[in-house]
Amino acid sequence: MNWLFEQPLVIVFIGVAAALALGALWSATGRKELLIAAGLALVLLAAGLVTEKLVVTDREAIRATLQEIARDVRNNDHQALLSHIDASAPQLKQKAKTELPNYKFSECRITRVNVIDVDASAEPRSAIAEFNVVATGTFRYEGTELTDSVPRWIKLQFVKNKDGLWRVIHYEHDDPQRMMMDRGAR
C-alpha cells in the first residue's frame, strides 16, 4: 500500500475517473444521488492528495536523507555528515573522520537514484540505496591533489533508528560503470 502514497498521479487518475464517470451517469439519468456521489469523489480525491503529502514512506524518508547528505557534502559540514552514520558503526565513523579532511567539495549532486530497497521485515528496519552522484572539488590522495568533477556510484546500507531517522551503517563507492556491470550480470 506504500506505493499509493508515493504515486499522487494514481490518486488523481482514480479520483478524476470516478468523478467523470459519476458526472456522466448523472447527466444521462438526472439522478441527484449520482451528482452527490460525483462531488464526494472530488472530495475524496482532495483528501487522498492531502494524505499522500502528509504520509512519509520509508523510501521518501531515505530519499530526503540522501538529499541531506549531498547538501552536507557540498557544504563540507563534517559534523553533519558524521551525524548520518549510525552509532552501531563506529569503524565507519572513524574512517569518515580520517578521510573527510582530504576532500574540499564545491558541488555534490545526486544525478540518479537507481534503487531504494527497504526490508520492512528486518529488525531494526533496514534499506539499501544505490545512486549516482557528481562531486566537484579538490581531492587529496597519497600526496597528490586534484581539482575535478568526479562521477561516482554509491551504495549505502541504512538502518532505521528508534527515533525514526535513517542512519548509514555501511557504504561502497566506485566508478559509475560498476552499477551498469552489476545490473548486466543479474
Side-chain angles (χ1 to χ4, degrees):
M1 187 68 166
N2 274 348
W3 63 270
L4 187 59
F5 294 120
E6 295 174 356
Q7 301 292 330
L9 288 178
V10 172
I11 295 169
V12 169
F13 179 76
I14 292 170
V16 169
L20 287 175
L22 290 165
L25 286 172
W26 166 75
S27 177
T29 65
R31 295 192 56 187
K32 180 178 166 183
E33 298 84 11
L34 292 172
L35 180 61
I36 292 170
L40 184 59
L42 291 175
V43 169
L44 289 174
L45 166 63
L49 289 174
V50 168
T51 302
E52 186 275 332
K53 286 293 177 204
L54 293 175
V55 173
V56 178
T57 66
D58 287 334
R59 289 173 42 88
E60 290 170 333
I62 291 168
R63 231 176 236 281
T65 301
L66 293 176
Q67 292 300 328
E68 287 176 28
I69 291 171
R71 183 194 65 232
D72 294 339
V73 167
R74 183 175 47 251
N75 294 335
N76 295 290
D77 190 342
H78 297 182
Q79 282 308 112
L81 283 167
L82 293 172
S83 74
H84 291 289
I85 299 173
D86 192 66
S88 69
Q91 304 89 344
L92 180 59
K93 193 168 274 201
Q94 186 56 46
K95 183 178 180 183
K97 283 180 183 178
T98 303
E99 287 183 12
L100 285 172
N102 294 317
Y103 313 127
K104 176 81 171 133
F105 294 95
S106 58
E107 181 64 36
C108 180
R109 72 188 149 80
I110 297 172
T111 58
R112 179 183 173 113
V113 176
N114 302 304
V115 174
I116 298 178
D117 186 21
V118 177
D119 185 355
S121 64
E123 189 55 45
R125 192 172 291 195
S126 65
I128 302 268
E130 293 183 29
F131 54 99
N132 294 82
V133 300
V134 174
T136 303
T138 303
F139 311 102
R140 284 183 305 213
Y141 182 71
E142 295 180 353
T144 305
E145 189 169 287
L146 172 70
T147 300
D148 201 358
S149 289
V150 181
R152 301 301 287 169
W153 165 84
I154 299 177
K155 179 179 181 179
L156 298 179
Q157 184 176 350
F158 288 94
V159 292
K160 189 173 186 178
N161 287 344
K162 290 181 180 16
D163 62 5
L165 298 175
W166 289 92
R167 298 283 183 242
V168 177
I169 59 170
H170 181 73
Y171 84 100
E172 298 175 46
H173 63 95
D174 206 339
D175 290 325
Q177 291 82 6
R178 175 177 173 188
M179 186 271 307
M180 289 184 276
M181 286 188 271
D182 285 351
R183 294 277 180 257
R186 288 183 191 168

